[in-house]
Amino acid sequence: MKKVLLGGIGLLCAAAGALVWSSWPSRIDLGSYPEKPVLESRINMDPAEMAPVRLYGFSTGSNQSPEALIFQGGSLTETHVSVFSGVLVEHEKGRFLFEGGIGRDIDDQFQNNMNFWQRELFKFEKDEPAVDQLARAGIGAGDLDFVLLSHLHWDHAGVAADFPALPVAVTEDEYKWAMQSGEGPGFFREQYDGDFPWRFIRFEDGPFETYDRSWDVYGDGSVVVVPFKGHTAGSLGMFVTTGAGERLLFIGDVSWAERALHIPSLRPALTQPLVDLDMEDLREVLADIHYLMKRYPDLRVIPTHDKRMIDTLPSLTER
């Protein structure tokens, strides 16, 4: 009995030590990633020449964990609430959905693709899926032009099946990588391995800010999509200038928390192999965003899973 007790204590100590090591404050070495210059761009930057854009946020589910499990340097005692969010984007030329969280079939998908320990690690509280929340707001699939996904991990791609006739906009690199090697707890292949009307983003509108490629969605500079490498093979981010003149940057999952970007720091080391593809590329992306936040103090940076930041958007119920 004593040996069992000592063994149990040893395992607990080892687990605690692993957690502390994984979440120990570790700032990205900015000296290795110098600030990049703003590139000359043909994309309009004058809000007066942009059509008004309206944004409405919503959540399809959530979970809670110590902040230290979200980013290195996070608090062990402060709770971070993560959400599976979506954003309705409205412009005079159209309307689309950015992200969208988990879909109607998430229960079966979660059971079929996760083992017991993975289900425990990623467990969540489910809310109403995007298709139903939008319907209550008077918006059907026919009122949307496309769904834009930052990447194809399971807590993003699940929305696609609930809008089967709607084009799904992703990078071709992301689609090919997810189809060829996407596996493990990050990907549920049945979410995207179907006859969807894919719309591959080409980034043909030249430089924007410090990024050498971009997609100017409506041609007036109000919504501009840029590539983000590192988290997955073809992740992306989205700059938006609203009708009120506010600038926002939606960053998908390159970070789970806006607070991490001020440090800047990565996810805890224990979670990196489960969700991130290339740590060197990801460090560069996070450093770039950190510099943008310092250059533009009013820029609001919104990670897809950060409830604190998603809640700064008008709610879909307020539309």
Side-chain angles (χ1 to χ4, degrees), residues 128-174:
E128 193 175 25
V131 63
D132 297 323
Q133 293 191 49
L134 288 167
R136 284 195 294 104
I139 300 171
D143 300 310
L144 298 169
D145 299 316
F146 57 91
V147 176
L148 173 62
L149 297 179
S150 66
H151 61 296
L152 289 173
H153 276 164
W154 66 269
D155 45 354
H156 300 254
V159 68
D162 292 343
F163 298 93
L166 205 60
V168 180
V170 295
T171 65
E172 191 168 10
D173 285 344
E174 180 70 9

Side-chain angles (χ1 to χ4, degrees), residues 1-13:
M1 181 65 184
K2 184 178 179 181
K3 289 183 178 180
V4 173
L5 180 60
L6 289 174
I9 292 173
L11 287 173
L12 287 174
C13 289

Side-chain angles (χ1 to χ4, degrees), residues 242-305:
T242 70
E246 297 177 293
R247 291 194 76 201
L248 303 92
L249 172 57
F250 295 86
I251 65 169
D253 283 8
V254 295
S255 178
W256 287 333
E258 189 263 355
R259 286 175 177 161
L261 300 165
H262 294 275
I263 300 175
S265 68
L266 298 161
R267 271 175 274 276
L270 288 176
T271 61
Q272 291 170 15
L274 296 175
V275 298
D276 292 320
L277 177 64
D278 189 309
M279 302 313 300
E280 183 67 18
D281 284 346
L282 188 56
R283 289 185 183 93
E284 182 180 353
V285 167
L286 293 173
D288 291 344
I289 296 171
H290 174 78
Y291 289 130
L292 280 172
M293 295 170 73
K294 294 179 75 68
R295 182 182 295 127
Y296 305 115
D298 293 331
L299 177 67
R300 198 186 329 167
V301 178
I302 303 183
T304 291
H305 295 305

